[in-house]
Amino acid sequence: MKWKARHLLVLALAVVDGLASGTPVLAQSDPLPSWNEGAAKQAIVKFVEATTTQGSPKFVPPAERIATFDQDGTLWVEHPMYSQIVYCFDRVPAVVRAKPELANVEPFKTVLSGNREAIAKLSMDDLFKILAATLTGMSVEDFKAEAKKWLDTAKDPRWKRPYTELTYAPMQEVLKYLRANGYRTYIVTGGGQDFVRMYADEVYGIPPEQVVGTASGTKYGYTKNGKPFLTKEPKLLLNDNNAGKVEGIYLMIGRRPYAAFGNSTGDRQMLEYTKAGAGERLAMLVLHDDAQREYAYGPAQGLPATKVGTFTQALYDQATREGWVVISMKSDWKRIFTFEP
Amino acid sequence: MKWKARHLLVLALAVVDGLASGTPVLAQSDPLPSWNEGAAKQAIVKFVEATTTQGSPKFVPPAERIATFDQDGTLWVEHPMYSQIVYCFDRVPAVVRAKPELANVEPFKTVLSGNREAIAKLSMDDLFKILAATLTGMSVEDFKAEAKKWLDTAKDPRWKRPYTELTYAPMQEVLKYLRANGYRTYIVTGGGQDFVRMYADEVYGIPPEQVVGTASGTKYGYTKNGKPFLTKEPKLLLNDNNAGKVEGIYLMIGRRPYAAFGNSTGDRQMLEYTKAGAGERLAMLVLHDDAQREYAYGPAQGLPATKVGTFTQALYDQATREGWVVISMKSDWKRIFTFEP
């Protein structure tokens, strides 16, 4: 009770202060200063105004205001490789120290060799073995401790900064702008749910319960002292990619988003499902077309092909056909990162 | 923007009004009027005060305030049979009309016969067949339409009221009291997540994204016109009972609850996990010991044994040993239902 009363009082005083001084209660300054004027920025502002202005025919009640964001390539850098994959490769030596018999078993042998060419040729099956060995088979607390150590120390080689600083300033503004207008922002990522939950609150202001990701099962057990704990099992519960994103949204949120943001073919179904709802819906795709300030890859629009965050021409054409908005990093974003001036 | 500004203004005026008139901003009346004075009521109030009073050594930041509630037998009546099972049996004739070949196949034949003795003898395997046939294999929209029809019309034979009116007044008060103190209340139920999400918001003020339940997988597809939709698949994704409740909490919330409420052995692990956290934690179990006003079953404390909501003596002893609080319906609750005077 006491906390709530004080909270209300502070709020009241702030508002009254604003009214008395004649200044507007909420500043009317540009909520998206890192965006150039253009169709993409306009689409966002138009969407927010249509769905949150009382009396608008497209008004959405606050409880239903859900916006979902892919993470890798949409909120932060995913090239040359998803940071979580870098984490998994970095963990291999420690895994082999704990289980020395793996040193001569593939794919661990190849990873330990440091032979980049050989590593680049590893199959998807090999990759899954590395993910399983580095992300499962330990208690959730042990996993968190290891991941935290890495997140605190590992640096991206190009920007020489922690991976968690490589988030896009314009997208951070969209998150804040939506939340300031009553939207709850969710991450819906193909990345590991547990991994992203480690930093999503600090990095994006998105709490763990609003992170939906690829998830393995857990197993309940007891320590020798009878204290219960969960172990991460090598059993895939939710493959949160492609159609799995829609299934994950249905499972974990149970509401259809009003806005969805992605950057690759893995986000197609999430955007389709979002746009298929009644009323005003927003679907946006980030196109990485800025090799100088970040990276350029597609293969849409003649950009170089990639296996990491593929944006096909078919996806681009579908976006055009269905009224999704493609964000050009190069022309829509004034700056890329928050650490830039 | 506009909505938020108006909202703040209304809030401010209400608070200022309260201050000016000298009345307390928040009424200090008893938040749990349906509870008799006693250890159970005291435990709840003590927990809320310890965890929400600024400066308390046990203070919990608002973002971490999570309370989880089992549904059947904890928030509403589960005897003589879980309402969702009644729904599934009621749906069998329609399922057989759609697939006439099932009329001569067990267990559908027995259910259609109406022979209560034979129905009571159906195995768990038979029951799963009925659940799969009545809860999966249709689009999520079709499921919602059917469930809504039933919820709007079906009545409990003893109280002759819709099942959704058979919620416990004292527990409704606990939900509201916790929320008024910054807790987010979740249902964590062995019942079907989709089914409970149909009414949880209206009945308990708990939105869909705060309902964790037994969940089947869904499959993404398109109508002939290219509109995407989800089909409920007969594939169990999360068995939200026993240890599955903890796994469900970890998956869907990603935080350990500070308070957990249950009434049967299926809630044991959820309560263990809750109490294993640091700081002040509350674990409570509803004991159905009131045959006159509701039902009496255990077999704890010499109450009649039951297969629906079993509360064993071992669970009762564990509660005593580990400082969980057992709620006696008979002596702790002034009234059972909100429709009582």
Side-chain angles (χ1 to χ4, degrees):
Chain A
M1 285 292 195
K2 280 174 195 160
W3 177 85
K4 189 141 193 190
R6 195 165 312 158
H7 182 71
L8 284 175
L9 186 58
V10 169
L11 206 59
L13 294 176
V15 174
V16 171
D17 201 46
L19 292 175
S21 66
T23 56
V25 171
L26 294 172
Q28 298 295 316
S29 61
D30 183 359
L32 302 171
S34 297
W35 291 72
N36 288 315
E37 298 307 320
K41 181 174 178 173
Q42 264 171 30
I44 301 167
V45 173
K46 184 177 152 277
F47 166 79
V48 168
E49 291 184 348
T51 57
T52 65
T53 305
Q54 283 276 11
S56 154
K58 304 288 179 64
F59 182 78
V60 176
E64 293 173 26
R65 293 184 197 160
I66 302 284
T68 56
F69 293 80
D70 167 59
Q71 186 192 216
D72 294 306
T74 298
L75 294 178
W76 77 354
V77 175
E78 66 184 347
H79 263 226
M81 184 41 76
Y82 307 113
S83 354
Q84 188 180 349
I85 302 291
V86 179
Y87 169 73
C88 291
F89 277 80
D90 283 358
R91 282 288 299 154
V92 166
V95 166
V96 173
R97 270 198 302 281
K99 288 187 192 171
E101 67 274 19
L102 291 179
N104 293 309
V105 176
E106 289 300 354
F108 304 99
K109 195 176 163 185
T110 295
V111 175
L112 290 172
S113 76
N115 179 337
R116 288 189 176 215
E117 261 180 62
I119 291 172
K121 279 184 195 146
L122 290 175
S123 67
M124 280 309 284
D125 201 46
D126 287 331
L127 191 59
F128 280 126
K129 280 181 196 161
I130 294 165
L131 298 189
T134 53
L135 298 174
T136 70
M138 72 283 284
S139 75
V140 303
E141 279 75 19
D142 286 352
F143 166 75
K144 284 180 189 174
E146 285 305 330
K148 187 178 180 331
K149 239 189 281 177
W150 186 85
L151 288 162
D152 286 349
T153 54
K155 285 187 177 171
D156 173 89
R158 179 167 165 191
W159 282 280
K160 302 186 175 46
R161 288 173 178 272
Y163 289 93
T164 48
E165 289 185 18
L166 302 186
T167 67
Y168 305 134
M171 295 306 289
Q172 291 275 16
E173 290 168 5
V174 174
L175 288 170
K176 287 192 186 106
Y177 178 45
L178 286 169
R179 290 198 293 259
N181 283 280
Y183 275 89
R184 266 164 303 148
T185 53
Y186 281 77
I187 288 176
V188 178
T189 174
Q193 180 169 287
D194 289 356
F195 193 76
V196 180
R197 280 177 171 177
M198 290 292 303
Y199 53 79
D201 205 356
E202 197 182 318
V203 171
Y204 304 112
I206 295 180
E209 62 272 22
Q210 286 168 221
V211 174
V212 179
T214 296
S216 64
T218 53
K219 199 179 150 87
Y220 187 81
Y222 302 90
T223 63
K224 277 180 208 160
N225 304 325
K227 197 175 157 135
F229 72 100
L230 288 172
T231 302
K232 284 169 69 73
E233 294 278 286
K235 183 189 79 174
L236 188 65
L237 207 61
L238 180 64
N239 182 0
D240 203 50
N241 280 300
N242 305 306
K245 292 209 172 194
V246 178
E247 293 154 30
I249 289 169
Y250 182 74
L251 175 71
M252 309 264 292
I253 313 178
R255 301 183 192 262
R256 192 191 298 260
Y258 274 82
F261 300 77
N263 79 299
S264 79
T265 50
D267 302 311
R268 180 169 66 82
Q269 289 87 342
M270 176 167 75
L271 270 60
E272 286 175 348
Y273 181 68
T274 299
K275 284 292 274 190
E280 190 80 12
R281 309 269 168 169
L282 180 65
M284 299 190 87
L285 285 167
V286 175
L287 182 67
H288 293 258
D289 58 358
D290 193 333
Q292 207 180 341
R293 294 190 300 170
E294 203 241 13
Y295 293 100
Y297 50 94
Q301 303 299 89
L303 293 163
T306 179
K307 280 184 182 175
V308 175
T310 310
F311 190 139
T312 61
Q313 189 60 40
L315 181 68
Y316 192 94
D317 295 341
Q318 183 174 2
T320 308
R321 213 166 47 235
E322 302 189 5
W324 308 351
V325 182
V326 174
I327 300 163
S328 158
M329 246 180 172
K330 194 169 180 176
S331 50
D332 284 317
W333 289 359
K334 238 178 239 169
R335 58 171 188 164
I336 307 288
F337 300 110
T338 44
F339 56 76
E340 291 170 9
Chain B
M1 282 296 190
K2 279 174 196 159
W3 178 84
K4 190 141 193 189
R6 197 165 311 157
H7 184 71
L8 284 175
L9 185 58
V10 169
L11 206 60
L13 293 176
V15 175
V16 171
D17 201 45
L19 293 174
S21 66
T23 55
V25 171
L26 294 172
Q28 298 294 317
S29 61
D30 182 358
L32 301 171
S34 297
W35 292 72
N36 288 315
E37 298 306 320
K41 180 174 178 172
Q42 264 170 31
I44 300 167
V45 174
K46 185 175 151 278
F47 166 79
V48 168
E49 290 182 349
T51 57
T52 65
T53 305
Q54 283 277 9
S56 154
K58 304 288 179 63
F59 182 78
V60 175
E64 293 174 26
R65 293 184 196 159
I66 302 283
T68 55
F69 292 80
D70 167 58
Q71 186 193 215
D72 295 305
T74 299
L75 294 178
W76 76 354
V77 175
E78 65 183 348
H79 264 225
M81 184 42 77
Y82 307 113
S83 356
Q84 190 181 348
I85 302 292
V86 179
Y87 169 73
C88 291
F89 276 81
D90 284 357
R91 282 289 300 156
V92 166
V95 166
V96 173
R97 269 199 302 281
K99 287 186 191 170
E101 67 274 19
L102 292 179
N104 293 309
V105 175
E106 290 298 354
F108 304 98
K109 196 176 162 185
T110 296
V111 175
L112 289 172
S113 76
N115 179 338
R116 289 189 177 214
E117 264 181 59
I119 292 172
K121 279 184 195 147
L122 290 175
S123 67
M124 281 307 284
D125 201 46
D126 287 332
L127 191 59
F128 280 128
K129 279 181 195 161
I130 294 165
L131 298 189
T134 53
L135 298 175
T136 70
M138 73 282 286
S139 74
V140 303
E141 279 75 20
D142 286 351
F143 166 75
K144 285 181 187 173
E146 285 305 330
K148 185 175 181 335
K149 239 190 280 175
W150 186 85
L151 288 162
D152 287 348
T153 54
K155 285 187 178 173
D156 174 89
R158 179 166 164 192
W159 282 280
K160 302 185 175 47
R161 286 173 180 272
Y163 289 93
T164 48
E165 289 185 17
L166 302 186
T167 68
Y168 305 134
M171 295 306 290
Q172 290 275 16
E173 290 168 6
V174 173
L175 288 170
K176 287 192 186 105
Y177 178 45
L178 285 168
R179 289 198 294 258
N181 284 280
Y183 274 90
R184 265 164 305 147
T185 53
Y186 281 77
I187 288 176
V188 178
T189 174
Q193 180 167 288
D194 288 355
F195 193 75
V196 180
R197 281 177 170 178
M198 289 292 302
Y199 54 79
D201 205 356
E202 198 182 318
V203 171
Y204 304 112
I206 295 181
E209 62 272 22
Q210 286 168 222
V211 174
V212 179
T214 296
S216 63
T218 53
K219 197 178 152 87
Y220 186 81
Y222 302 90
T223 63
K224 277 180 208 159
N225 304 326
K227 198 176 157 135
F229 72 100
L230 289 171
T231 302
K232 284 168 69 71
E233 295 279 286
K235 182 189 79 174
L236 189 65
L237 208 63
L238 179 64
N239 182 0
D240 202 51
N241 280 298
N242 306 304
K245 291 208 173 194
V246 178
E247 293 154 30
I249 288 169
Y250 182 74
L251 175 71
M252 309 263 292
I253 313 178
R255 301 183 191 263
R256 193 192 296 261
Y258 274 82
F261 299 78
N263 79 299
S264 79
T265 50
D267 301 311
R268 180 169 67 81
Q269 288 87 343
M270 176 168 75
L271 270 62
E272 286 175 349
Y273 181 68
T274 299
K275 285 291 274 189
E280 190 79 11
R281 308 271 169 168
L282 180 66
M284 300 190 87
L285 286 167
V286 175
L287 182 67
H288 294 257
D289 57 357
D290 193 332
Q292 208 182 337
R293 294 191 300 171
E294 203 241 12
Y295 294 100
Y297 50 94
Q301 303 299 89
L303 293 163
T306 179
K307 280 184 182 172
V308 175
T310 311
F311 191 139
T312 60
Q313 189 60 40
L315 182 67
Y316 192 95
D317 295 342
Q318 183 173 2
T320 309
R321 211 165 52 234
E322 303 190 4
W324 307 352
V325 182
V326 174
I327 299 162
S328 159
M329 242 178 177
K330 195 170 179 174
S331 50
D332 284 318
W333 289 359
K334 239 178 238 167
R335 58 171 188 163
I336 307 287
F337 300 110
T338 44
F339 56 77
E340 292 169 9

